Amino acid sequence: MFRATSRRTHDQGPAAEALRLVKVSKTYGSDDSAVTALDGVTLGLGRGTFTAVMGPSGSGKTTLLHCAAGLDRPDSGIVRVDGTELTGGGEAELTKFRRGRIGFVFQQYNLLETLTVAQNTVLPLKLAGQRVDRQRAKEVLTSVGLGDRLGHRPDQLSGGQRQRVAIARALVTEPRVIFADEPTGALDTRSARDVLRLLQQAVRVHGRTVVMVTHDPVAASYADSVLFLADGRLAGHLQAPTPDAVAERLAHLGDTVAMGV
């Protein structure tokens, strides 16, 4: 597994680059059944940016997200998050690093049904053994439009409200990077728009870095830029994306020469 080992002798604040991958490769299976999910991917993302990751099914999008977030281990290459290199070693250290520097938003929310909105939101703090500032949690929930839902349980919320809880939970630890895996995939159009605006706010107001896997060109248009993957390799990028431009690029990914970013 990984060990989070910092190249810095002490915490000097946020690194200039929020995420850096160098020649990252990942293969599943072996021999004739081997599937290369990532093939020597190199990229760098600056702090305070919102990046969408897109590509056809099986292109390596989720594998890229999981390796970048320390949820999965690449076979080779280097992953740095906020200037800290994730290398072979102890799972406990990596878990501690993730809880302090990384936030997660998933398609299916991953909320505990037996806990209230407020309790779900502060759960990462409790798991990390940190002091729970309930006023701070309330402020975060209010900022995502759930200040009047603190005592509700997930089954009393709509899908959009559940995803807002997930975003609040990701924000409450003040992470440097938020990884979002298809965060609007289970939502209606209006709820999806609200969630995407909250992710934009996390970047523009709070200075977080957001990396979002999505299949939706409209969702991708909320990002500052889009990275395209094909067959486990980077296949281009697009700045200031629009839905039409994203859809056009996706339609011609097979004609695009793989390139580094």
Side-chain angles (χ1 to χ4, degrees):
M1 291 299 184
F2 285 0
R3 179 178 62 213
T5 56
S6 177
R7 298 298 186 189
R8 294 169 290 177
T9 57
H10 60 283
D11 189 355
Q12 299 173 341
E17 231 175 21
L19 178 66
R20 165 62 65 176
L21 274 61
V22 181
K23 297 181 179 179
V24 171
S25 295
K26 178 69 178 180
T27 299
Y28 295 102
S30 58
D31 301 326
D32 294 339
S33 63
V35 175
T36 299
L38 294 177
D39 187 4
V41 172
T42 294
L43 62 86
L45 302 178
R47 288 193 296 116
T49 57
F50 187 175
T51 304
V53 181
M54 304 193 76
S57 178
S59 61
K61 301 186 299 295
T62 296
T63 300
L64 174 66
L65 192 82
H66 286 182
C67 286
L71 296 175
D72 203 353
R73 179 167 64 93
D75 299 323
S76 61
I78 296 171
V79 177
R80 290 193 185 96
V81 177
D82 191 38
T84 296
E85 183 176 333
L86 309 183
T87 57
E91 179 67 21
E93 288 182 73
L94 177 59
T95 298
K96 182 179 179 181
F97 178 83
R98 284 197 304 256
R99 287 174 178 168
R101 305 279 187 94
I102 297 174
F104 298 99
V105 181
F106 299 99
Q107 180 175 342
Q108 296 302 326
Y109 326 125
N110 287 10
L111 303 179
L112 294 182
E113 297 293 332
T114 58
L115 300 183
T116 66
V117 165
Q119 290 168 337
N120 266 290
T121 300
V122 301
L123 186 59
L125 297 173
K126 288 194 170 185
L127 291 174
Q130 298 179 22
R131 184 179 67 87
V132 174
D133 185 339
R134 300 194 183 280
Q135 181 59 37
R136 159 71 178 157
K138 182 178 180 179
E139 291 171 359
V140 173
L141 284 164
T142 298
S143 74
V144 301
L146 293 174
D148 59 346
R149 297 287 192 273
L150 303 184
H152 287 60
R153 286 186 165 76
D155 63 2
Q156 298 173 296
L157 305 177
S158 68
Q161 289 172 328
R162 290 185 182 199
Q163 196 60 294
R164 292 185 195 185
V165 178
I167 292 174
R169 181 183 58 194
L171 289 172
V172 76
T173 59
E174 301 188 351
R176 301 281 168 79
V177 185
I178 296 173
F179 292 97
D181 192 358
E182 297 281 7
T184 62
L187 303 180
D188 60 68
T189 300
R190 181 176 178 178
S191 295
R193 183 174 63 243
D194 291 343
V195 163
L196 290 163
R197 286 173 175 167
L198 286 172
L199 291 175
Q200 283 185 327
Q201 181 179 339
V203 174
R204 296 172 182 174
V205 177
H206 301 290
R208 310 302 172 208
T209 300
V210 174
V211 183
M212 175 182 71
V213 164
T214 182
H215 68 281
D216 182 2
V218 174
S221 71
Y222 282 77
D224 303 318
S225 63
V226 182
L227 295 178
F228 296 95
L229 287 178
D231 298 323
R233 297 181 180 181
L234 286 177
H237 67 283
L238 183 65
Q239 292 293 128
T242 65
D244 288 344
V246 172
E248 175 73 13
R249 185 68 68 90
L250 283 172
H252 295 90
L253 264 188
D255 304 325
T256 305
V257 177
M259 57 185 288
V261 175

